[in-house]
């Protein structure tokens, strides 16, 4: 199983926590993590590499050449890193046929193998659209971007790299970002939906991209089925969406204590880069 993450140095501690959860959810399963970055220090990469070695996870850091983005709109709102996951088919080793992209602000509670083995049915991506309040926002996003389908969250993406190498063109992505910069709120996610929304296989968010803020919504929509026991037994990816993060002081959402437990497990390795 090949996992992709793209981040800057600030998000290395959450990445380490995610790796702890990934390891615990896949005992004995061969896993390789590809980290695409724009200049993380060698000392920090070494700490992550040592943690992966401890967990018997393959680790492949890939520094992306900034010259590839000479024609791309780049600014504080549009950093180069936002393009990395969209251009993964062009940036990752060509021997890879598929990859599972994960945001670093997730916990892996159960096996990802059923997702990894899922047939994409000719689509470029597999992704989930969040329910509840996010579902209402989806209608606004459709109007804003001129799309007709669901608005997909880009935090968990199963990618067909082989198809993406022929269908995803960097020039089109850069041109769209340039022409629609005033409409883009979450730039990479908006571009994903605007350009490739019709080529995305919908995934069940309760299993593969559970929004940790919305426990009550999931419980209500499921008629009481998706309680805490159900989440712990069935949800594979618990995603801490939004600005408030569980490693920050004052986080109040339900799964914050669970996240702190994984932080403590990561601290015990002696390799944790956070506080």
């Amino acid at each position: 199983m090949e996992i992709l993450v793209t981040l800057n140095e600030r998000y290395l501690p959450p990445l380490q926590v995610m790796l702890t959860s990934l390891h615990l959810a896949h005992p004995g399963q061969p896993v390789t993590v590809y980290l695409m970055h724009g200049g993380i220090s060698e000392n920090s990469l070494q700490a992550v590499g040592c943690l992966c070695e401890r967990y018997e996870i393959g680790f492949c850091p890939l520094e992306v050449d900034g010259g590839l983005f000479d024609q791309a709109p780049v600014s504080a709102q549009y950093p180069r890193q936002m393009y990395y996951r969209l251009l993964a088919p062009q940036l990752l080793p060509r021997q890879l046929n598929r990859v599972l992209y994960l945001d670093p602000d997730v916990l892996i509670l159960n096996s990802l193998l059923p997702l990894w083995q899922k047939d994409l049915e000719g689509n470029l991506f597999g992704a989930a659209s969040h329910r509840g309040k996010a579902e209402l926002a989806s209608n606004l996003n459709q109007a804003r971007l001129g799309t007709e389908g669901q608005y997909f969250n880009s935090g968990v993406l199963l990618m067909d790299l082989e198809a993406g190498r022929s269908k995803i063109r960097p020039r089109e992505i850069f041109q769209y970002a340039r022409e629609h910069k005033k409409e883009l709120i979450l730039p990479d996610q908006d571009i994903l939906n605007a350009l490739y929304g019709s080529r995305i296989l919908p995934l069940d968010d309760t299993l593969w991209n559970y929004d940790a803020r919305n426990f009550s919504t999931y419980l209500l929509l499921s008629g009481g089925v998706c309680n805490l026991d159900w989440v712990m037994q069935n949800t594979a990816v618990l995603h801490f969406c939004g600005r408030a993060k569980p490693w920050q002081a004052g986080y109040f959402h339900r799964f914050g204590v669970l996240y702190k437990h994984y932080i403590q497990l990561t601290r015990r390795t002696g390799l944790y880069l956070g506080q």
Side-chain angles (χ1 to χ4, degrees):
M1 186 161 58
E2 274 75 46
I3 304 296
L4 171 65
V5 292
T6 68
L7 44 83
N8 57 31
E9 196 147 357
R10 185 167 57 93
Y11 266 85
L12 287 179
L15 171 63
Q16 291 181 302
V17 175
M18 187 270 275
L19 291 173
T20 296
S21 68
L22 179 69
H23 163 67
L24 293 172
H26 299 88
Q29 172 67 37
V31 177
T32 300
V33 172
Y34 293 84
L35 167 57
M36 286 200 296
H37 66 95
I40 294 175
S41 71
E42 284 299 322
N43 287 341
S44 296
L45 289 175
Q46 185 176 10
V48 176
C50 288
L51 186 68
C52 286
E53 185 176 0
R54 174 81 61 90
Y55 293 153
E56 298 184 332
I57 293 174
F59 180 57
C60 296
L62 300 170
E63 185 168 0
V64 179
D65 180 5
L68 297 173
F69 304 94
D70 287 344
Q71 304 302 314
V74 174
S75 66
Q77 184 183 4
Y78 300 92
R80 291 181 310 183
Q81 288 85 352
M82 85 171 201
Y83 299 107
Y84 290 177
R85 81 186 87 178
L86 295 176
L87 298 180
Q90 286 75 25
L91 297 175
L92 286 171
R94 297 192 71 82
Q95 67 266 27
L96 297 182
N97 294 321
R98 67 165 44 194
V99 76
L100 178 59
Y101 170 84
L102 297 173
D103 271 354
D105 58 348
V106 304
L107 290 177
I108 309 304
L109 304 182
N110 291 289
S111 177
L112 295 169
L113 279 177
L115 174 58
W116 174 252
Q117 296 167 348
K118 185 176 287 291
D119 183 357
L120 283 174
E121 302 174 13
N123 290 285
L124 295 174
F125 304 97
S129 178
H130 285 143
R131 308 181 200 186
K133 294 179 181 178
E135 194 170 16
L136 296 175
S138 182
N139 296 328
L140 297 176
N141 288 322
Q142 289 173 5
R144 179 170 58 85
L145 300 173
T147 57
E148 296 181 356
Q150 303 176 54
Y151 183 79
F152 294 98
N153 182 273
S154 61
V156 179
L157 291 173
L158 182 61
M159 303 182 180
D160 184 336
L161 297 175
E162 190 172 1
R165 289 182 185 111
S166 62
K167 302 294 184 182
I168 297 175
R169 298 176 176 85
R171 185 177 300 177
E172 291 181 359
I173 292 173
F174 300 157
Q175 182 177 349
Y176 187 90
R178 187 177 299 107
E179 293 177 354
H180 297 270
K181 60 182 179 180
K182 292 183 179 179
E183 300 108 82
L184 301 181
I185 298 174
L186 299 171
D188 50 349
Q189 187 165 282
D190 286 348
I191 293 171
L192 172 76
N193 281 273
L195 294 182
Y196 310 111
S198 63
R199 301 291 304 274
I200 297 176
L201 178 73
L203 302 176
D204 184 343
D205 60 328
T206 61
L207 298 176
W208 309 118
N209 195 342
Y210 185 108
D211 187 338
R213 300 168 297 183
N214 292 336
F215 171 80
S216 297
T217 298
Y218 287 118
L219 186 66
L220 179 63
L221 292 175
S222 67
V225 172
C226 294
N227 57 22
L228 283 172
D229 288 338
W230 188 96
V231 172
M232 295 305 298
Q233 294 170 16
N234 295 278
T235 295
V237 183
L238 182 65
H239 191 179
F240 293 89
C241 304
R243 291 186 178 181
K245 299 300 182 186
W247 57 86
Q248 297 170 336
Y251 186 84
F252 62 88
H253 294 292
R254 186 177 303 264
F255 294 100
V257 171
L258 178 63
Y259 193 90
K260 292 181 186 300
H261 170 67
Y262 279 94
I263 290 179
Q264 186 62 18
L265 293 178
T266 309
R267 278 201 187 100
R268 289 174 185 170
T269 67
L271 296 167
Y272 183 53
L273 293 169
Q275 297 293 322

